[in-house]
Amino acid sequence: MSSYLLTCTPAHGHVLSLLQVARHLLSRGHEVSFLTSSRYAERVADAGARFLALPAEADVDLDDADGSFPERAGLTGPAALRFDMSTLFVRPGAAQLAAVRAELDAHPVDAVLTEPLFVGGALLQLMPVHERPPVVVLGIFPLGVRSRDTAPFGLGAAPIPGPFGRLRNAALRVIAERAIFGGVQKEADEMARRTVGRELGGFVLDWAGRADAYVQFTVPEFEYPRADLPATVHFAGPLPAATSTAGVPEWWPDLDGSRPVVHVTQGTIANSDFGQLVLPTVTALAGSDVLVVVTTGGRPVDALGITLPDNVRVAEYLPYDRLLPLVDVLVTNGGYGGVQQALAHGIPLVVAGQTEDKVEVSARVGWSGAGVNLRTTNATPVQVSRAVERVLSEPAFRANAERIGAAMRDADAGRALDRALAEVSVGRGQSRRDVRR
């Protein structure tokens, strides 16, 4: 039996993903502690892990950033990205590290498992290896490892093969690291010097590639090829979908296969404005020979605020394990977990997401040929109508989705994680009891 500390920024999607990891480790008989916001204490306890609360300085509500930081409202483009990187991720890093070190002093562990936006993990891995346990990054959104073959993470720019592509990537990296985010990088390096006595050793968004191991929860078929991929990166396949407790609505028998089913969702967090994607999709497909299935992500059905066309069915939640086998096209704002669930069922997609990591998810959908990337957050009915028509009429989209899905179904995320943790343990050649802090 081993002991692990999981650390997570206070964001709903991040916490749910790491709780799946926690459940797997617990099922293997390991001890698991989970450091995140007190807002998630009950969820952590329900999973069976030991809950640890982040200090107030690090307890930022990423799901309501505008409410927590009114000055963020109205920011767009690079200004919004700089604000988020600095305020939401970099500045909490020192307090995150302090909480991690206090826990490690009291309860040594075999490894710290973290996600890439927990900057306290970046600071921890800067410490001498004999003073800390291994740091294992859990890739719960698209792979952000620095490479000469890819553009900087966050730009949503798909690879261009050959020398021209590498020149483009190098130029974009200079612009991103020195011009757009130069101030953020300086702030991060100064914080690292204050807390651990050295700079980060590279761009703040690239730190995860320098960790002891990086377990990416997807398959290579849904990730950009990199000739210089570090040996520390392990492709594990998607995390298994959480078991759904949602029942089925009375209209469920309408999903009888008599016409194509188009499912549209904006997830459970980015659903305050259905005018971004759900309503344009309903409008675009009204009267067409498809059945449109809408989930509101927990918001009341009447929050849609419209009279529903005859071919639209709506529910707050639906059991994805029962719904996805019946879906022909998924229209989504690009949440990583939902996109991968669809691909695992061989479902092609229409994606409209340009914020956070969604811009990178959407770019991979378009690059892989598994769907259409609308390259917007606010889709129009015309855009959605044309994209859905393409995906339904051109067999290549489904063929590519099925190709990726077959690889996902062959993967075993839990087993791959176990192998990566075993390799880190063997490589370190010591147990947590041998580390003195």
Side-chain angles (χ1 to χ4, degrees), residues 92-108:
Q96 291 172 349
L97 177 65
V100 170
R101 296 182 73 172
E103 172 60 18
L104 295 180
D105 285 339
H107 300 95

Side-chain angles (χ1 to χ4, degrees), residues 153-230:
F153 189 87
L155 300 184
I160 298 174
F164 175 76
R166 290 183 174 179
L167 285 173
R168 181 208 66 168
N169 298 337
L172 289 175
R173 191 166 299 282
V174 170
I175 294 171
E177 295 181 8
R178 299 183 184 178
I180 300 176
F181 301 121
V184 176
Q185 182 65 38
K186 181 180 179 181
E187 181 181 15
D189 281 331
E190 289 176 349
M191 180 185 63
R193 283 195 297 269
R194 290 195 307 269
T195 55
V196 296
R198 53 186 292 204
E199 294 184 352
L200 286 177
F203 188 48
V204 61
L205 288 182
D206 293 333
W207 81 267
R210 301 186 292 275
D212 297 289
Y214 194 146
V215 181
Q216 181 64 33
F217 290 110
T218 192
V219 292
E221 289 80 358
F222 193 54
E223 191 48 73
Y224 299 147
R226 297 166 172 84
D228 52 356
L229 188 71

